[in-house]
Amino acid sequence: MKLILADKAARALSKKEVVQLLARPNILRLAFVDEKGEPMVHPVWYYYSMGRFYVATDRQGTKARVLRKNPDIYFLVDESPGPTFGVRGKGTARVVDDPDYATRVTRRNAKRYLGTLQSKTAKALLAMGPSSCVLEIMPRYMATWKF
């Protein structure tokens, strides 16, 4: 992963700090440009592995539809309160239309964010797996900061 400093007034995060940040269930803000040329930002659950973010989303939804046509994205993952720190960067999203894969990603993210697969919410999310796809987000770089 290519790390750069996001703000010259801040301290850069080490690779270890980035890995620790991305291992926690923070929200990833996914930005892209819609079909009308308007900017959009969607908060999403993700997991990060092997240099990629993995997000399950509705196969017919806005994110999947738009990113199939224009895969360029911007992302942000940060933490606060306390000393603000995080990562942001540009990347490319690949939409993978595979219901089994989407169900696996949904399961992993539900467990990560909800702590269980037995809750009503988790079961409702898992039921959506077959109608979902996976966004594989490949960052070009990660700009890091800590104040």
Side-chain angles (χ1 to χ4, degrees):
M1 108 182 59
K2 179 181 177 183
L3 299 178
I4 62 173
L5 180 62
D7 186 319
K8 64 182 177 183
R11 174 180 76 74
L13 295 179
S14 68
K15 185 174 182 178
K16 180 180 178 182
E17 289 173 310
V18 170
V19 168
Q20 290 171 340
L21 170 68
L22 298 178
R24 292 191 287 275
N26 294 301
I27 298 298
L28 182 143
R29 291 163 190 87
L30 179 63
F32 51 92
V33 177
D34 72 10
E35 297 102 330
K36 298 175 186 173
E38 298 290 330
M40 300 187 81
V41 179
H42 286 219
V44 297
W45 289 356
Y46 73 93
Y47 74 88
Y48 183 79
S49 178
M50 299 181 296
R52 295 180 181 190
F53 295 99
Y54 297 87
V55 175
T57 192
D58 179 4
R59 195 175 329 149
Q60 304 302 321
T62 301
K63 290 185 286 295
R65 185 180 67 249
V66 169
L67 293 173
R68 279 186 188 95
K69 295 175 185 173
N70 178 3
D72 296 328
I73 61 92
Y74 196 87
F75 65 89
L76 166 72
V77 178
D78 62 351
E79 276 191 8
S80 59
T84 303
F85 61 100
V87 299
R88 64 184 187 219
K90 292 180 181 179
T92 303
R94 183 171 80 112
V95 180
V96 182
D97 289 310
D98 178 338
D100 292 333
Y101 182 29
T103 298
R104 290 191 308 271
V105 171
T106 299
R107 181 177 290 113
R108 183 165 176 173
N109 283 337
K111 178 77 171 161
R112 172 178 160 86
Y113 285 88
L114 299 174
T116 181
L117 298 177
Q118 304 308 313
S119 71
K120 184 177 178 180
T121 301
K123 289 177 182 180
L125 290 169
L126 291 172
M128 293 188 296
S131 63
S132 297
C133 64
V134 175
L135 305 179
E136 293 182 348
I137 299 168
M138 291 79 62
R140 289 187 206 126
Y141 65 87
M142 290 191 193
T144 73
W145 74 93
K146 183 172 187 176
F147 288 99

